Amino acid sequence: MRQHCIIDLRCTVFLQDVELLPQRNQVLRGGVHNNNLGPCKCGTKPDSQIDRKIKKGTHSTSAMGSDPEKLISKADKLTKLSFTRWSIDWKSATGLYEQAANGFRIAKSYEKAKEAFEKASKGQEMLSSPWDAAKHMESAATMAKELGNWKEVADFYRRASELYNECGRAQPASDALAKGARALEDGAPDEAVQLYTEACAILEEDGKEQMAFDLYRDAARVYLKLEKYEDAASILISLALAADKCNATHSQCKAYLSAIVVYLYAHDFKQAEKCYNDCCQVEVFLNSDQGRCAGKLLSAYAEGDVEDIKRVAQSSTVSNLDHAIIKIARKLPTADVSSFKNEAMKDNEEPLDEDDLT
């Protein structure tokens, strides 16, 4: 015999009195269909059949949603007008581009990830969100670095900087250029120093000279690596001028001494002497430890005293300079300095007056 048990107003389940008692209790407790009984009279399918259909549908949707190729294809369609689409849906398309870009990045498909981030950046621009557009452009630059495409690295970071500037944010704009410079130091060092210089200019225009000190030092370091000593000294003088604007006298004096050391490392004594004389016009430097150290160093060169040059180069004042400057100072002198002594003696000799017979 079967007993008619009403579980729900919308559904009834027929159970055996004795044999199906455990199933009956489970149904009474949980209010669910028994999987072994087949369809109810109401037409509802058993749980196992429903679960299989749900799982199948979910898997299919998830697979489609995680395929970056399909996401890109769908997003591209949303950004193009057609007979059936009369307006562009940038909001939906940008979200799809972002998903696709992350998918490609995880898969290490850097070329496709780069292109997807570019499109996502454009989408954010179209949505009047330059900040998010800049973020995506930085991500595109990171992908370009993975590909070793140094030109695109520079272009993308510059574009990111422009977008941050549109937001009125000088610091992130400068940071973007600095990131690009660091990414390019090994692959394209000449472009790197250019980005460092541009980053410094942005901060100075915004009245944040002190925030640019490290960028100037980084630029000088790269110039030294390229053996462009005149450029390195010039950028150090720029650092000193920036320090002067914000009354950072200690950094100013260190920068002046660093420039003089660079000229001496390049074995350009005359330029080093000229730089020293110019710097001494600044009273702060003239009366500083760095100024006195520079004077002693030049005197040692003028006398051709190698031991004295090495002693001054090992002094605590020099040891407190940046690492890149300390490294080259330890190698002084880099050539024969006896010629400087001879030149100094000639300069000190008074010219012979042929009319003076005394």
Side-chain angles (χ1 to χ4, degrees):
M1 294 180 64
R2 293 180 178 273
Q3 181 178 355
H4 187 216
C5 302
I6 301 176
I7 307 303
D8 191 284
L9 292 175
R10 295 169 298 176
C11 177
T12 61
V13 179
F14 291 91
L15 303 172
Q16 292 287 346
D17 282 332
V18 178
E19 295 178 356
L20 301 180
L21 184 59
Q23 292 92 325
R24 173 185 175 185
N25 292 336
Q26 181 183 355
V27 172
L28 288 171
R29 286 194 302 270
V32 296
H33 295 291
N34 187 285
N35 293 335
N36 300 322
L37 297 178
C40 294
K41 287 186 176 181
C42 65
T44 305
K45 296 179 181 178
D47 292 345
S48 59
Q49 298 179 34
I50 295 173
D51 290 344
R52 282 196 298 272
K53 288 221 168 190
I54 291 174
K55 289 177 182 177
K56 182 178 179 182
T58 304
H59 176 74
S60 177
T61 304
S62 177
M64 184 179 296
S66 62
D67 185 348
E69 295 283 3
K70 292 182 179 178
L71 292 171
I72 285 286
S73 178
K74 185 176 180 181
D76 286 341
K77 290 177 182 178
L78 293 173
T79 61
K80 295 176 182 177
L81 299 177
S82 65
F83 289 109
T84 58
R85 183 177 294 104
W86 291 51
S87 62
I88 294 176
D89 187 355
W90 280 111
K91 185 175 182 180
S92 299
T94 301
L96 294 172
Y97 284 136
E98 291 168 347
Q99 292 178 50
N102 289 322
F104 283 131
R105 177 167 53 184
I106 292 170
K108 295 186 177 181
S109 182
Y110 299 125
E111 182 65 37
K112 292 181 178 179
K114 180 197 72 176
E115 294 173 359
F117 277 122
E118 283 187 84
K119 291 180 177 181
S121 179
K122 181 183 178 182
Q124 291 292 356
E125 282 191 75
M126 299 303 293
L127 294 171
S128 301
S129 182
W131 179 271
D132 292 323
K135 289 291 184 184
H136 290 320
M137 195 55 70
E138 287 191 76
S139 297
T142 303
M143 298 298 100
K145 181 188 175 184
E146 293 290 342
L147 295 166
N149 193 330
W150 309 124
K151 185 180 183 305
E152 286 193 334
V153 170
D155 291 342
F156 290 157
Y157 275 118
R158 279 196 175 97
R159 181 57 187 150
S161 178
E162 291 171 0
L163 290 164
Y164 284 127
N165 264 328
E166 288 183 21
C167 302
R169 303 291 297 276
Q171 184 67 58
S174 176
D175 289 345
L177 293 174
K179 288 178 188 176
R182 294 185 190 101
L184 293 170
E185 279 190 17
D186 294 327
D190 289 310
E191 189 66 31
V193 290
Q194 183 61 38
L195 287 177
Y196 276 132
T197 304
E198 292 174 17
C200 291
I202 289 175
L203 291 173
E204 288 196 31
E205 288 175 8
D206 199 49
K208 297 178 179 177
E209 289 86 359
Q210 194 160 2
M211 302 296 291
F213 289 0
D214 287 338
L215 299 178
Y216 278 121
R217 295 186 184 107
D218 287 335
R221 175 176 50 79
V222 178
Y223 273 133
L224 289 174
K225 185 178 178 182
L226 292 171
E227 299 183 356
K228 294 185 175 182
Y229 303 118
E230 188 174 348
D231 290 329
S234 178
I235 206 77
L236 287 167
I237 296 298
S238 296
L239 166 58
L241 295 174
D244 182 49
K245 291 180 182 178
C246 50
N247 297 318
T249 56
H250 188 61
S251 294
Q252 179 184 8
C253 294
K254 286 173 65 176
Y256 281 143
L257 175 57
S258 297
I260 293 166
V261 169
V262 170
Y263 281 125
L264 291 175
Y265 183 75
H267 205 62
D268 191 344
F269 179 73
K270 288 185 176 180
Q271 191 61 42
E273 196 171 38
K274 181 179 182 302
C275 182
Y276 173 73
N277 292 332
D278 290 342
C279 294
C280 284
Q281 301 300 315
V282 180
E283 187 175 354
V284 172
F285 176 73
L286 182 63
N287 298 322
S288 68
D289 291 339
Q290 291 79 15
R292 287 187 285 271
C293 180
K296 291 177 183 178
L297 197 54
L298 289 170
S299 295
Y301 263 87
E303 294 171 4
D305 191 336
V306 175
E307 292 303 318
D308 201 23
I309 292 171
K310 290 182 178 180
R311 182 184 61 78
V312 177
Q314 296 283 342
S315 67
S316 60
T317 304
V318 173
S319 297
N320 286 324
L321 300 178
D322 296 324
H323 178 71
I325 304 301
I326 296 171
K327 188 176 178 181
I328 63 173
R330 296 289 187 261
K331 297 177 182 179
L332 296 177
T334 54
D336 181 25
V337 294
S338 60
S339 59
F340 297 138
K341 183 177 181 179
N342 295 331
E343 289 178 7
M345 291 177 64
K346 288 180 182 179
D347 292 338
N348 291 329
E349 288 180 356
E350 293 183 5
L352 180 63
D353 187 355
E354 295 179 354
D355 297 328
D356 188 1
L357 301 177
T358 59

